Amino acid sequence: MANEAVRHGFDGAADAYAHSRPAYPDEAVAMLLRSFGLTPGAHVVDLGAGTGIFSHHLAAQGLTITAVEPSAEMRAKIIASDHVTTHAGQAESTGLPDRSADAVVAATAWHWFDAERAIKEVRRILKPGAGGLGLLWNLYDESVAWVAEYADISYRRRPANSPSARDGDWRAFFDGLSGWEPLQEARFDNPQDTTPDRLIERLLSSSAIANLSTAEREDARQEAWSVLRRHGLAARAQVVLPYVTTLHWTKPSG
Ligand SMILES: C[S@@+](CC[C@H](N)C(=O)[O-])C[C@H]1O[C@@H](n2cnc3c(N)ncnc32)[C@H](O)[C@@H]1O
């Protein structure tokens, strides 16, 4: 099952994940808040919160976040604060009360969910007349040659039937979805200053690779170094990894 795959895939990679994953651009956060009319104190549920990267962006805006995450190891990395509460749960069955959220978000996570069940759950926990559902992804900018080669290393190794945000297949579910407005979309450049070592760490923390045998992980590591060497990046002190952040949002239509 995809959920099992991702839970075990991210388990064991939580440290590397926390070190090497990118933040989300402030403009994306601002657009989400504007689209849903969210003001300080509003309650936002972050599904698949991981190590809390996006939860903390929202908390910095004075919002109150419930960070829902099934993996205990990822959850343990979320720094709880006055504004962020962690919650063991799944997008499809959060265990949160009816009509308790002003908005629901999922950052680089929705493609892992059972969309039919998750959208019902989102509707259940949203307050009537509240914001809606915001979906973000940090995606590699594969228009850059070395990035496409680097991304391909994990893509080729992902388990069969493993969902990927790369192909955008998750989107079809929302086409003509009854009870919801059409998805709106915005894109933002999100370059990440990083180092060659962090690039390798980021690759090894992907769910496709975190779960492989030691020998297979080593093979992926060597392939990544060889991409970096071929493109003259391996010996650099700093490398810019170009990401594109996509933001999609929708509101209940009735
Ligand atoms: C790529 S990580 C994204 C984490 C974080 N939102 C971020 O932006 O860095 C995807 C997360 O979704 C979680 N996940 C997978 N299936 C899930 C489900 N059915 N319900 C909730 N979370 C799930 C995984 O455990 C993982 O922490």
Side-chain angles (χ1 to χ4, degrees):
M1 298 299 293
N3 282 345
E4 284 302 308
V6 73
R7 253 202 311 281
H8 297 303
F10 286 110
D11 276 350
D15 272 328
Y17 193 101
H19 288 147
S20 61
R21 294 294 172 124
Y24 293 86
D26 291 342
E27 303 92 297
V29 177
M31 184 171 277
L32 183 70
L33 266 59
R34 263 199 319 278
S35 305
F36 291 157
L38 296 172
T39 51
H43 176 217
V44 179
V45 173
D46 183 8
L47 300 174
T51 59
I53 294 175
F54 194 60
S55 299
H56 288 292
H57 279 294
L58 297 173
Q61 301 302 315
L63 304 174
T64 302
I65 315 305
T66 301
V68 176
E69 169 56 46
S71 157
E73 224 182 286
M74 297 292 265
R75 240 179 12 254
K77 300 281 169 207
I78 301 175
I79 301 160
S81 69
D82 287 352
H83 286 286
V84 179
T85 307
T86 59
H87 181 85
Q90 304 234 347
E92 301 84 354
S93 54
T94 60
L96 298 174
D98 290 354
R99 304 173 166 213
S100 55
D102 293 299
V104 178
V105 298
T108 314
W110 181 270
H111 59 291
W112 286 106
F113 305 163
D114 174 336
E116 292 275 358
R117 292 176 54 220
I119 199 79
K120 287 194 182 112
E121 181 68 351
V122 170
R123 191 64 187 255
R124 183 184 72 73
I125 63 177
L126 273 178
K127 292 178 187 167
L133 173 65
L135 304 176
L136 296 99
W137 275 272
N138 270 329
L139 301 170
Y140 294 129
D141 181 353
E142 295 189 41
S143 64
V144 179
W146 76 263
V147 179
E149 288 176 39
Y150 168 82
D152 211 50
I153 296 170
S154 55
Y155 191 70
R156 269 188 281 112
R157 287 169 168 85
R158 77 196 197 289
N161 302 326
S162 173
S164 163
R166 191 194 204 194
D167 49 27
D169 280 0
W170 62 271
R171 208 182 186 295
F173 171 79
F174 287 91
D175 289 342
L177 181 65
S178 163
W180 291 85
E181 293 179 0
L183 271 186
Q184 300 197 63
E185 177 176 356
R187 292 168 74 85
F188 307 85
D189 289 334
N190 188 14
Q192 185 192 18
D193 287 327
T194 187
T195 64
D197 284 335
R198 282 273 154 92
L199 280 171
I200 304 300
E201 191 179 31
R202 193 255 172 266
L203 184 87
L204 297 179
S205 79
S206 72
S207 63
I209 295 189
N211 226 13
L212 297 177
S213 69
T214 308
E216 290 167 325
R217 284 165 54 80
E218 188 50 32
D219 186 59
R221 184 200 304 275
Q222 293 307 332
E223 193 177 340
W225 277 117
S226 117
V227 168
L228 297 186
R229 275 196 298 273
R230 214 168 34 252
H231 290 274
L233 301 170
R236 293 238 190 114
Q238 289 289 317
V239 178
V240 176
L241 175 57
Y243 277 97
V244 172
T245 300
T246 62
L247 166 66
H248 295 80
W249 69 99
T250 177
K251 301 178 187 182
S253 59

